Amino acid sequence: MILGFDPGKDKCGIAVMGRDKNVSYHQVVPSDAAVSTIQSLCKQFPIQLLVMGDQTTSKSWKQKLTQSLSPFIKIVQIDERYSSLEARARYWQMYPPTGLYRLIPEGMRTPPRPVDDIVAIVLIERYLNKT
């Protein structure tokens, strides 16, 4: 299993996906709860790899995770440019709009919640497509 992590200052996206691209978990959590959430997911799932974005606060997050996770979990950073745009589009595939909201063009719709967890899914897929 692969854990995807979209690090952020206030909130983080976390996802767990198998190499078969089946998503087992995805959630947006407050940044101060991210490490404990990841630790608990590592107990729940056989995580072998953590894929995280390489922008904004990634250096400090990688250091925090290296100190708090098992040394057997490899941490890989992946290019996260444009992943938020991709995640917004993916949101509407995962949760198609209903009612009058369907009539609004996709480019003008704003997801009703943060999509950081979907960014984490996109990062895992980018990693899998590279390997």
Side-chain angles (χ1 to χ4, degrees), residues 27-113:
Q27 194 71 47
V28 178
V29 298
S31 293
D32 57 1
V35 172
S36 60
T37 302
I38 290 171
Q39 288 172 329
S40 112
L41 287 169
C42 288
K43 290 175 186 158
Q44 218 176 320
F45 298 99
I47 307 290
Q48 301 159 338
L49 176 69
L50 186 145
V51 175
M52 65 182 281
D54 65 354
Q55 302 290 308
T56 335
T57 56
S58 65
K59 278 192 178 114
S60 62
W61 274 108
K62 184 173 182 184
Q63 192 174 19
K64 261 188 229 177
L65 292 170
T66 302
Q67 292 167 357
S68 36
L69 296 179
S70 159
F72 299 109
I73 296 175
K74 184 178 169 193
I75 299 175
V76 174
Q77 289 186 289
I78 198 118
D79 183 6
E80 72 173 299
R81 284 178 292 182
Y82 308 112
S83 58
S84 294
L85 287 174
E86 198 174 324
R88 283 176 64 154
R90 178 73 59 83
Y91 176 87
W92 297 114
Q93 291 171 5
M94 292 169 73
Y95 307 102
T98 57
L100 291 175
Y101 216 55
R102 290 177 311 166
L103 304 175
I104 300 171
E106 188 178 305
M108 295 177 73
R109 286 187 223 135
T110 303
R113 66 168 187 81

